[in-house]
Amino acid sequence: MATVLVVEDDEYVRSAIIQELSRRRHAVRSAGRALDALREISQNPPDAVILDLGLPDLDGAEALKMVRSVSSVPVIVATARDDEAEIVRLLQAGADDYLVKPFSGDHLNARLDAVLRRARSATPPAVLRVGTLAVDVNRREATLEGSPLTLTRREFDLLAYLTARADRVVSRKELLTEVWQQSYGDDQTIDVHLSWLRRKLGESASAPRYLHTVRGVGVMLTTPT
């Protein structure tokens, strides 16, 4: 059983999807607007999202981008646009799978089961630890030597991403793509956030403990020596 958020503005379609998923013993929540869905994902993270593209308040592709800025929850896009270029664009924007309307209940459940299997097999430990640094991914909390760190959403995402890849150099391009969900941008944005993060970890670029810059390559989080 999984908790699934259905984001669909058509009441008839939404009701049919909810009924089908409930029949398979999933716990189902729903939203008819993109902003309501984003609030739900942030406050009560589901195990998967089924996202319709034709929402009244926000284009579905834009909604997908906003979801990816706050969560890595598996997203299945439901679209009436049977266009290969559009589907490729959505997958590249962060969708885990797609369904072309109309679709059957069996097709929906097969796709949902597949993304849930992939997500569960790729799930990192709930609490990541490097030295005295602990990052609780599910609670979105971090502590250093047992004391809580006050982090912005982006600072937490950056710290969690680097902690999950401890002792590996991560390029700025990778950070921009995976943490900022952007294909291009200014390295200065990353450097500023790294500077703020260092300050909260009690270090600096000239005297690093956890965050080490590898000149010309990227940054690496490692256990202090």
Side-chain angles (χ1 to χ4, degrees):
M1 185 184 78
T3 300
V4 183
L5 177 63
V6 177
V7 188
E8 168 65 66
D9 67 312
D10 186 305
E11 291 185 14
Y12 175 78
V13 175
R14 184 167 69 238
S15 177
I17 294 175
I18 291 172
Q19 184 176 4
E20 176 62 29
L21 294 176
S22 298
R23 188 172 67 83
R24 304 292 181 110
R25 300 187 181 279
H26 293 302
V28 187
R29 302 197 301 266
S30 66
R33 299 167 62 87
L35 295 180
D36 292 336
L38 288 166
R39 189 178 304 111
E40 185 73 17
I41 291 168
S42 298
Q43 296 176 357
N44 302 290
D47 296 313
V49 175
I50 298 171
L51 175 66
D52 174 51
L53 290 186
L55 298 172
D57 59 331
L58 198 63
D59 175 73
E62 187 64 27
L64 174 62
K65 185 185 299 184
M66 294 178 71
V67 168
R68 278 291 165 257
S69 72
V70 299
S71 175
S72 59
V73 61
V75 177
I76 300 175
V77 169
T79 175
R81 310 169 193 172
D82 188 11
D83 176 78
E84 182 178 351
E86 175 69 5
I87 290 169
V88 168
R89 185 175 71 88
L90 291 168
L91 291 172
Q92 290 176 337
D96 294 271
D97 208 339
Y98 70 93
L99 286 162
V100 177
K101 296 179 179 179
F103 48 80
S104 68
D106 287 342
H107 192 178
L108 167 62
N109 279 286
R111 298 277 183 156
L112 178 60
D113 288 347
V115 298
L116 287 171
R117 279 197 306 271
R118 291 198 297 268
R120 285 164 181 161
S121 66
T123 301
V127 179
L128 306 168
R129 299 183 187 277
V130 178
T132 59
L133 173 66
V135 180
D136 189 322
V137 178
N138 293 334
R139 293 178 178 272
R140 293 186 65 81
E141 296 174 349
T143 61
L144 181 64
E145 297 178 353
S147 299
L149 295 172
T150 302
L151 304 173
T152 65
R153 177 179 58 81
R154 187 71 77 192
E155 287 169 355
F156 180 87
D157 290 343
L158 177 59
L159 180 62
Y161 191 85
L162 291 170
T163 306
R165 293 154 184 80
D167 300 317
R168 177 169 81 80
V169 179
V170 179
S171 70
R172 283 174 170 75
K173 179 176 176 57
E174 181 178 341
L175 291 174
L176 195 65
T177 301
E178 299 298 331
V179 179
W180 270 261
Q181 299 292 318
Q182 297 176 11
S183 56
Y184 60 91
D186 187 355
D187 284 355
Q188 187 175 1
T189 299
I190 297 172
D191 290 338
V192 168
H193 280 81
L194 285 171
S195 176
W196 291 338
L197 200 51
R198 283 191 172 103
R199 192 176 308 162
K200 293 179 180 182
L201 292 173
E203 61 182 68
S204 65
S206 59
R209 296 178 63 239
Y210 284 93
L211 295 173
H212 295 261
T213 298
V214 180
R215 190 174 298 277
V217 183
V219 62
M220 177 173 64
L221 186 143
T222 188
T223 305
T225 54

